[in-house]
Structures are given as structure tokens and as C-alpha cells.
Amino acid sequence: MTSYLSDVVRFTTFLTLHPKPIDVLAALGRDFLHSYGVTSVQLFSLLNNNLLELRAEIGTPYKFTVAQLSQRRLEELETLISTENICKEIALTGCICDPKSTLTVTPFSIGTSLSGFFLVEWPENGKITKEAMEAVTLYSALSSIYFTHSKFFALPDENFDQVTSGGPSLSPRQIQILQGMVDG
């Protein structure tokens, strides 16, 4: 458990360096979730017309692939994970883990508005442990807080992979809240 806690502190510290969103996903996939068996992490924006737009991707997804940053319909993802309403299920459970499709969906929120999803893929025939699910949920939540406060999604004309010059930093209170989440 101490190793798990130190990894969370390390990730939180990494976020204070104001990395680009693609670097956050790279760190998640390479340094923090790989040991749990995660094979890919994707971040999708939820658009007004029920389209999902791929914003960043790390690893090689096999179940829900999107060629050249194109868009997919939310209904396609719902069909893939055997649910009729992802938004409703996420509101009830906090995340959706479908071992049959080897996918986990966690929300990305700005304030109280659902803005998109982290889509995590696991290997076929792999067992998803409770600790792995907790790690995915926690890292997704921390990333969501970071993206919300760095306003990457709040600037529609902003290139997602570019950091704005003089970009906003986390306030001392926001860092205190993140540290409180880490400490439990």
C-alpha cells in the first residue's frame, strides 16, 4: 500500500509541473497504470451531438479504435460495453468496468458537466483486480481535476497538445485539496 500511495504522490507532484495533456496520458500509461495491466488510455471529449472526439491516446487500443483523430458516436461505445446509457451508469457507479469487453470508462468532468471519458483498455483474458480498478478511478479523477483547472477543455480554439504561455497554475488551495485526496 505504501508503494501505491507513493505513486499517487509522485503523479500529483508531476501534475504540478503543468504537463501537456498528452504527457499526462503518457505518464499514466507508461509509469502509473502499466503495472496494473492497462494496455491503452484514451481521452474523449463528449460533444453536443453525442459524438466522441478523441483528444489523446496512449498505447494501442483494440476495441474502440479511432483513426487519425476522427469521431465516433457515443452509441457505438455503449453497444461495445453493453449499456444503454453510459452517462446514467457513470452517475450511479462512478465508472463502468466491462470485463467482457476489457474496457473501463471513467468520466471527465468540468464542474458538474460531463465533458468526456477516459477509456482504459485491459488485455484480453486478463483479470482486473479491485486495486487496479481503484487506481484507474483515482488517476482518472486526479487527471480530470488537473485538466479542469488548466482549462484545456475550456478553450475550444486551443490545440489540445499545446500549453498556453503563462498557463494557469494550481492554487495553494487546489494543491492542498489534491494532497488531501492523496492522504485520504
Side-chain angles (χ1 to χ4, degrees):
M1 188 66 166
T2 303
S3 173
Y4 176 74
L5 186 58
S6 66
D7 282 348
V8 172
V9 170
R10 199 165 49 94
F11 182 69
T12 304
T13 303
F14 167 70
L15 292 179
T16 65
L17 301 174
H18 308 292
K20 296 177 187 177
I22 191 68
D23 295 333
V24 172
L25 260 64
L28 284 175
R30 179 189 62 238
D31 302 330
F32 298 99
L33 296 177
H34 183 73
S35 62
Y36 295 103
V38 170
T39 58
S40 72
V41 181
Q42 296 170 296
L43 180 59
F44 288 92
S45 293
L46 179 60
L47 306 177
N48 291 334
N49 51 3
N50 267 0
L51 286 178
L52 294 172
E53 181 179 33
L54 180 65
R55 301 306 294 263
E57 177 179 88
I58 296 298
T60 306
Y62 295 102
K63 294 287 183 177
F64 197 67
T65 59
V66 182
Q68 299 177 358
L69 299 180
S70 63
Q71 298 176 345
R72 298 278 301 263
R73 297 208 55 80
L74 181 60
E75 291 80 9
E76 294 176 71
L77 182 58
E78 289 175 337
T79 300
L80 192 60
I81 62 171
S82 306
T83 184
E84 291 182 22
N85 190 331
I86 285 179
C87 300
K88 179 180 174 185
E89 286 197 31
I90 282 181
L92 294 173
T93 63
C95 74
I96 299 172
C97 180
D98 184 1
K100 295 176 189 169
S101 72
T102 67
L103 295 174
T104 298
V105 180
T106 57
F108 172 81
S109 301
I110 295 179
T112 58
S113 299
L114 179 63
S115 298
F117 305 101
F118 290 96
L119 186 61
V120 175
E121 190 166 332
W122 308 84
E124 291 285 335
N125 305 322
K127 186 174 189 299
I128 304 171
T129 66
K130 181 180 177 189
E131 183 181 20
M133 278 303 307
E134 289 173 355
V136 165
T137 303
L138 177 61
Y139 287 120
S140 297
L142 290 172
S143 299
S144 180
I145 291 169
Y146 171 70
F147 292 148
T148 299
H149 291 287
S150 59
K151 300 185 190 317
F152 285 107
F153 278 81
L155 303 171
D157 296 329
E158 185 70 24
N159 183 331
F160 190 75
D161 291 333
Q162 294 179 354
V163 176
T164 58
S165 60
S169 61
L170 294 175
S171 71
R173 177 67 179 145
Q174 291 165 334
I175 292 171
Q176 181 185 20
I177 289 170
L178 284 173
Q179 187 63 46
M181 289 175 65
V182 169
D183 293 341

